[in-house]
């Protein structure tokens, strides 16, 4: 069945460091891919998305490219800030269901 | 604009009790869903609905019941609470286009403890 595998955390980085969070997926058909972010005590919010192969989603300095050949959608940011500390979820959608990864906790220290 | 509203925010139940978690959205979204979030397991889909009168099971439906009598509301019922249902519950909705879903809008969650 459809699924998402996400790198485990927690991840701790210094401010201005480069961030990569790996995400790979298994899906029948042609899924849409998403990154959601969850701040403490809140629900998830969409960070970025891509709907077809080779699409790049971007928002707030974060980027991810839909790679069909490697079934991946890795999240990157060139220079993280303390305010980026949160839990990040990779997700895919095919038709009626969304499938989420287990989440990666990121802590950015000054 | 309210978005997705969940109530209550916190609830403590005793084993065997029943209760209903409320979810309402004011965005006229066709798609609504319930997830539970457990440490190390991410979000798992309990039930979902693609429109009023239509519901279907997700990955972990046992012990939960849903109905969708209006577009706005999608309550989740725990029939006989068990400690294994201790979790954080999120309701989410989405606009549907071309048979698929656009992004999910999440409520702020309900933290449920079953003793």
């Amino acid at each position: 069945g459809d699924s998402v595998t996400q790198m485990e955390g927690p991840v701790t980085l210094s401010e201005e460091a480069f961030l990569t969070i790996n995400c790979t997926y298994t899906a029948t058909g042609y899924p849409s891919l998403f990154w959601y972010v969850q701040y403490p005590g809140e629900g998830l919010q969409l960070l970025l998305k891509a709907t077809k192969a080779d699409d790049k989603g971007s928002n707030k300095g974060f980027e991810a490219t839909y790679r069909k050949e490697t079934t991946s959608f890795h999240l990157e940011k060139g220079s993280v800030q303390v305010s980026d500390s949160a839990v990040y979820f990779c997700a895919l959608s095919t038709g009626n269901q969304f499938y989420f990864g287990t989440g990666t906790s990121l802590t950015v220290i000054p | 604009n309210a978005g997705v509203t969940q109530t209550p925010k916190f609830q403590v139940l005793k084993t065997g009790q029943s209760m209903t978690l409320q979810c309402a959205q004011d965005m006229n979204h066709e798609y609504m869903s319930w997830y539970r979030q457990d440490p190390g397991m991410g979000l798992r889909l309990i039930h979902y609905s693609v429109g009023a009168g239509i519901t279907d099971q997700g990955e972990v439906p046992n012990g939960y019941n849903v109905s969708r009598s209006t577009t706005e509301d999608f309550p989740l019922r725990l029939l006989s609470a068990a400690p294994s249902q201790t979790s954080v519950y999120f309701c989410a909705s989405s606009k549907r286009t071309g048979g698929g879903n656009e992004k999910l809008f999440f409520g702020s969650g309900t933290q449920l403890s079953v003793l």
Side-chain angles (χ1 to χ4, degrees):
Chain A
D2 297 347
S3 67
V4 173
T5 302
Q6 187 174 341
M7 70 179 278
E8 295 194 12
V11 175
T12 302
L13 294 174
S14 297
E15 204 165 24
E16 299 184 1
F18 185 85
L19 169 70
T20 299
I21 301 177
N22 290 337
C23 172
T24 57
Y25 68 90
T26 300
T28 54
Y30 303 96
S32 294
L33 300 175
F34 306 82
W35 277 99
Y36 282 82
V37 59
Q38 184 180 33
Y39 298 103
E42 299 182 8
L44 280 69
Q45 307 171 21
L46 179 68
L47 180 60
L48 54 84
K49 71 175 185 179
T51 57
K52 61 184 188 295
D54 300 325
D55 267 3
K56 176 185 284 189
S58 62
N59 186 25
K60 300 180 181 180
F62 291 90
E63 294 182 341
T65 301
Y66 190 142
R67 302 285 188 199
K68 190 167 184 287
E69 64 275 14
T70 54
T71 62
S72 64
F73 193 56
H74 304 320
L75 182 68
E76 296 182 337
K77 186 175 186 182
S79 176
V80 294
Q81 306 300 312
V82 172
S83 57
D84 294 327
S85 298
V87 181
Y88 293 82
F89 291 89
C90 185
L92 69 84
S93 174
T94 57
N96 288 331
Q97 299 200 27
F98 282 79
Y99 297 88
F100 286 84
T102 53
T104 301
S105 175
L106 170 67
T107 300
V108 180
I109 55 177
Chain B
N1 48 348
V4 179
T5 302
Q6 281 184 245
T7 56
K9 290 190 180 301
F10 302 94
Q11 184 69 50
V12 179
L13 292 178
K14 294 181 179 178
T15 297
Q17 287 185 316
S18 62
M19 79 158 294
T20 299
L21 279 63
Q22 302 291 343
C23 176
Q25 52 88 14
D26 61 359
M27 297 172 283
N28 201 31
H29 284 170
E30 301 96 323
Y31 183 89
M32 296 186 74
S33 54
W34 277 100
Y35 293 85
R36 58 178 290 172
Q37 183 178 28
D38 301 293
M41 303 194 74
L43 276 78
R44 293 182 292 169
L45 181 65
I46 304 171
H47 285 286
Y48 66 94
S49 168
V50 297
I54 306 169
T55 63
D56 207 344
Q57 297 181 353
E59 183 183 357
V60 288
N62 292 340
Y64 306 95
N65 204 359
V66 293
S67 60
R68 183 97 179 266
S69 56
T70 67
T71 299
E72 295 79 19
D73 301 299
F74 191 47
L76 178 73
R77 297 181 186 84
L78 278 70
L79 307 173
S80 177
S84 60
Q85 293 178 304
T86 294
S87 187
V88 180
Y89 292 84
F90 287 100
C91 179
S93 71
S94 171
K95 182 178 177 181
R96 287 177 64 75
T97 55
N101 290 297
E102 296 191 355
K103 70 177 185 179
L104 285 171
F105 290 79
F106 281 83
S108 56
T110 296
Q111 190 168 323
L112 176 67
S113 294
V114 183
L115 306 178

